[in-house]
Amino acid sequence: MNFSTKSRYGLRALAYIAKSKKPMSLHVIAGEQDMSLSYLEQLAAKLKKANILESKRGKYGGYVLARPADKIYIGEVLRVLEDDILPVECLGSEQQCIKETSCISNKVFKKIYDSIREVVDKTTLQDVL
């Protein structure tokens, strides 16, 4: 399973902002982290809407974390940026699969998904820093 560029860029940007201790412009982050500014703007908008980032206006404005880094969980960030974090579609289906009880791969992918969730839902941005 691969997480998309959305997750990688989003987590890198959040870490950069958390380390800076002051409002950071997306232009600076994009330049320092070799990211597309327009792409980063899209990610920042999603993170702001989810109350993970805040924007500050003015000459010394930019983006800051909306909460302390130890209160921002990686799983929350991934769910905001990705469509889902499921290893296979059938785990997210609201309808029960007719082969669920006999499907060997479903059981394995469920264990994988549970393990991923356990890690990302217990890991904070502060832990990553």
Side-chain angles (χ1 to χ4, degrees), residues 12-13 17 23 29 34 43 47 58 68 84 86-87 89-91 94 98 102 112 117 120 122:
R12 283 174 40 204
I17 291 167
I29 297 168
D34 193 28
L43 301 179
L47 293 167
D84 61 52
L86 296 168
E89 288 180 29
C90 61
L91 291 178
E94 294 196 15
I98 59 171
S102 63
I112 291 169
R117 272 195 354 227
V120 299
K122 289 183 179 179

Side-chain angles (χ1 to χ4, degrees), residues 3-18 26 29 33 35-36 39-48 52-53 63 65 72-74 76-82 125 128-129:
F3 288 103
S4 75
T5 307
K6 294 175 195 176
S7 292
R8 294 192 314 272
Y9 279 20
L11 288 172
R12 283 174 40 204
L14 288 173
Y16 194 89
I17 291 167
L26 295 181
I29 297 168
Q33 295 294 311
M35 299 175 187
S36 160
Y39 194 61
L40 189 55
E41 288 170 340
Q42 293 172 32
L43 301 179
K46 288 182 177 188
L47 293 167
K48 184 177 175 186
I52 295 171
L53 282 180
Y63 283 86
L65 298 180
I72 298 173
Y73 289 87
I74 301 305
E76 172 187 15
V77 174
L78 295 177
R79 287 180 186 93
V80 167
L81 298 176
E82 298 288 344
L125 182 58
V128 174
L129 299 175

Side-chain angles (χ1 to χ4, degrees), residues 37-123:
L37 177 59
S38 61
Y39 194 61
L40 189 55
E41 288 170 340
Q42 293 172 32
L43 301 179
K46 288 182 177 188
L47 293 167
K48 184 177 175 186
K49 185 177 179 182
N51 194 33
I52 295 171
L53 282 180
E54 289 180 351
S55 60
K56 305 283 183 182
R57 293 187 169 275
K59 184 176 180 180
Y60 300 104
Y63 283 86
V64 296
L65 298 180
R67 292 175 269 146
D70 66 343
K71 302 293 185 212
I72 298 173
Y73 289 87
I74 301 305
E76 172 187 15
V77 174
L78 295 177
R79 287 180 186 93
V80 167
L81 298 176
E82 298 288 344
D83 294 330
D84 61 52
I85 60 171
L86 296 168
V88 291
E89 288 180 29
C90 61
L91 291 178
S93 175
E94 294 196 15
Q95 292 182 345
Q96 186 173 5
C97 176
I98 59 171
K99 296 183 180 182
E100 184 175 354
T101 56
S102 63
C103 179
I104 294 170
S105 62
N106 180 289
K107 293 173 188 173
V108 172
F109 285 120
K110 174 84 168 88
K111 282 184 175 186
I112 291 169
Y113 177 57
D114 289 344
S115 297
I116 291 169
R117 272 195 354 227
E118 183 176 347
V119 170
V120 299
D121 289 342
K122 289 183 179 179
T123 304

